[in-house]
Amino acid sequence: MIIKPRIRGFICTTAHPTGCAANVKQQIGYVREQGEIDGGASINNALVIGSSGGYGLASRIVAAFGCGAATLGVSFERLPTQKKTATAGWYNNVAFQAAAETAGLYAKTLDGDAYSDAMKEQVIDTVKTDMRQIDLLVYSLASPVRQHPRTGELHRSVIKPLGAALHMKSVNVDRGEVLEVDLEPADAEETAATVAVMGGEDWEFWIDALKQAGVLAPGFRTLAYTYIGSELTWPIYWQGTLGRAKEDLDRAATAITQELADVQGEARVVVLKAVVTQAMSAIPVVPLYASLLFKAMKERNVHENPIQHIYRMYATQLCSAAPVRLDDVGRIRMDDVEMSADIQDDVRRRWDLVSSENLAELGDLAGFREDFLKIFGFGFAGVDYDADLDPTLGSG
Ligand code: NAD
């Protein structure tokens, strides 16, 4: 099969196996270039939930190749067939696994629904057999649905404002058009559903299950990722349904830290910068903000992609002997550069001026699109995109 990108709105329905492998290799290469992380040896066994793409994949790569940790990953990806490619995350998992093995690092990935009790049991069995205990859990799930393991109810998250309808600037990434979108506010049921999917309950369920199984090492730490952003995106993100769900992570972090007292453990929410991932591309308005942000950050040479950002998080916060940079709610702030006054003033200036006509000049839509295609393995130098490939990589 000759594999080309097939884009439908904010998703690409194909993924390129060799390109995905190049993506993983590039990220590993970046970490190797930076060198071993001081204090990284404190992380021996890491569990990453949502490990096949975006920030979760970067977290796994830094744990393994920056800290020398054994890693267990959990993801939910589509397997390939002879006629249809797998999702990018499946190819990423294959590539990561191969690279870890070559480097002599333990790695195992379990593919299935992280929200289910069955997956939690499978993880616990694997930890008991292969790792004994874990000292880090990174919770990096981004999902539109969750089947509640206790009630069986299927919750669907919505990306909507709260309170009042919203009329805002956005962008059609495909067409490069700046347009106005209208979004109706969520009702109470939709808001609760979004909190059920993206809030902290499942993170708590994971910690409960792992603790009860006795697989948390002394000094165990767990991180969950969040986004806050600036007032430009607050109406659709932080002050909307997603923000409500993310606020629930703050509640969960406090509850989990209390639960971890007897292993001297700690839970922290980490605020990360905006980057292009599958999950973020689906949010209205944010891609416009992100393309203006990328331009402002790149002009000042302070832009970071997921692997650069997560490497800095491990090196300066998670593994560093220096005190962590916390906000008043106790979250680790990695969005310091994105949120700096200089960058935000510039993004606001661009936001007020931007139109379809000047988007290419004021924003970095080209960079956004490039990053988007790379998620699916397209656009890597040295990859033969005309090659006839077996999408199953010999497994089907
Ligand atoms: P992503 O779409 O790149 O990755 C999501 C991961 O979750 C994938 O590995 C996928 O397989 C996995 N997953 C989804 N549903 C699953 C399920 N039911 N069971 C098991 N695995 C499942 O997303 P991302 O953007 O890297 O988001 C990860 C976290 O980072 C989220 O909490 C997100 O809010 C946060 N974050 C993202 C940004 C950003 O700009 N992308 C910024 C700040 C914080």
Side-chain angles (χ1 to χ4, degrees):
M1 183 192 280
I2 296 169
I3 303 164
K4 300 285 174 192
R6 208 178 300 150
I7 297 169
R8 300 272 176 278
F10 49 77
I11 188 90
C12 179
T13 60
T14 51
H16 200 281
T18 325
C20 289
N23 186 5
V24 171
K25 193 174 161 202
Q26 217 172 62
Q27 294 192 46
I28 293 172
Y30 173 80
V31 173
R32 283 198 162 127
E33 265 168 39
Q34 308 311 302
E36 241 171 67
I37 292 177
D38 283 345
S42 61
I43 300 168
N44 294 305
N45 296 304
L47 168 62
V48 181
I49 316 283
S51 60
S52 59
Y55 275 135
L57 175 61
S59 304
R60 185 178 198 184
I61 289 175
V62 178
F65 292 90
C67 306
T71 61
L72 177 57
V74 177
S75 63
F76 207 9
E77 300 295 337
R78 185 187 71 222
L79 269 66
T81 65
Q82 287 298 339
K83 288 197 183 123
K84 200 167 180 192
T85 72
T87 44
W90 191 87
Y91 295 125
N92 292 341
N93 288 341
V94 171
F96 176 86
Q97 189 76 33
E101 274 165 23
T102 306
L105 293 165
Y106 171 92
K108 192 164 190 170
T109 307
L110 300 173
D111 217 41
D113 184 9
Y115 293 124
S116 69
D117 288 339
M119 178 52 81
K120 292 179 176 74
E121 279 162 29
Q122 225 184 316
V123 164
I124 287 166
D125 287 348
T126 308
V127 172
K128 280 184 173 165
T129 313
D130 297 352
M131 297 173 146
R132 212 174 62 81
Q133 288 192 319
I134 54 167
D135 29 40
L136 175 68
L137 184 157
V138 175
Y139 190 82
S140 188
L141 271 193
S143 170
V145 289
R146 172 182 177 215
Q147 175 151 34
H148 198 283
R150 310 283 187 267
T151 65
E153 199 178 332
L154 190 70
H155 298 286
R156 282 183 195 284
S157 66
V158 299
I159 305 174
K160 288 188 175 182
L162 293 175
L166 196 64
H167 181 79
M168 263 188 104
K169 261 186 192 173
S170 187
V171 67
N172 179 314
V173 176
D174 249 4
R175 294 203 297 267
E177 248 172 49
V178 176
L179 37 85
E180 306 273 327
V181 286
D182 287 291
L183 293 155
E184 287 304 309
D187 61 28
E189 212 173 294
E190 290 172 318
T191 309
T194 310
V195 175
V197 179
M198 289 298 288
E201 189 188 44
D202 181 59
W203 187 24
E204 292 180 280
F205 282 3
W206 269 102
I207 302 297
D208 279 349
L210 293 161
K211 192 182 166 202
Q212 272 178 35
V215 296
L216 301 182
F220 166 81
R221 282 177 298 169
T222 182
L223 306 175
Y225 294 155
T226 197
Y227 182 66
I228 295 179
S230 80
E231 81 263 13
L232 292 171
T233 56
W234 281 351
I236 187 62
Y237 198 97
W238 188 245
Q239 293 170 343
T241 48
L242 285 178
R244 194 55 70 82
K246 291 299 193 183
E247 248 176 55
D248 191 55
L249 290 178
D250 296 328
R251 174 204 58 76
T254 306
I256 292 171
T257 296
Q258 279 166 9
E259 193 180 343
L260 292 175
D262 45 350
V263 290
Q264 296 88 48
E266 189 179 77
R268 291 269 178 217
V269 170
V270 187
V271 189
L272 299 176
K273 87 179 269 281
V275 293
V276 185
T277 63
Q278 289 192 51
M280 94 77 102
S281 308
I283 307 172
V285 181
V286 173
L288 178 60
Y289 166 81
S291 45
L292 303 180
L293 174 75
F294 294 175
K295 187 90 169 193
M297 292 185 87
K298 284 178 185 176
E299 278 183 6
R300 290 163 178 78
N301 264 322
V302 293
H303 181 70
E304 289 171 313
N305 61 25
I307 195 72
Q308 293 168 321
H309 196 56
I310 293 296
Y311 185 90
R312 180 163 70 92
M313 193 269 287
Y314 274 71
T316 67
Q317 306 295 308
L318 190 63
C319 303
S320 165
V324 283
R325 189 177 47 243
L326 300 177
D327 65 13
D328 53 351
V329 182
R331 310 179 192 105
I332 297 176
R333 297 305 290 245
M334 288 306 299
D335 60 343
D336 50 339
V337 185
E338 171 177 347
M339 295 315 297
S340 66
D342 176 37
I343 299 281
Q344 283 303 316
D345 287 350
D346 193 14
V347 177
R348 256 191 306 276
R349 180 186 65 81
R350 291 166 193 268
W351 182 271
D352 290 340
L353 297 172
V354 72
S355 65
S356 302
E357 290 67 43
N358 61 20
L359 177 58
E361 180 200 327
L362 292 177
D364 183 28
L365 191 67
F368 187 98
R369 284 185 178 135
E370 207 176 289
D371 287 356
F372 179 77
L373 283 171
K374 282 188 168 170
I375 296 171
F376 304 94
F378 298 104
F380 287 92
V383 173
D384 178 2
Y385 289 103
D386 295 318
D388 194 358
L389 299 175
D390 170 6
T392 71
L393 302 178
S395 67

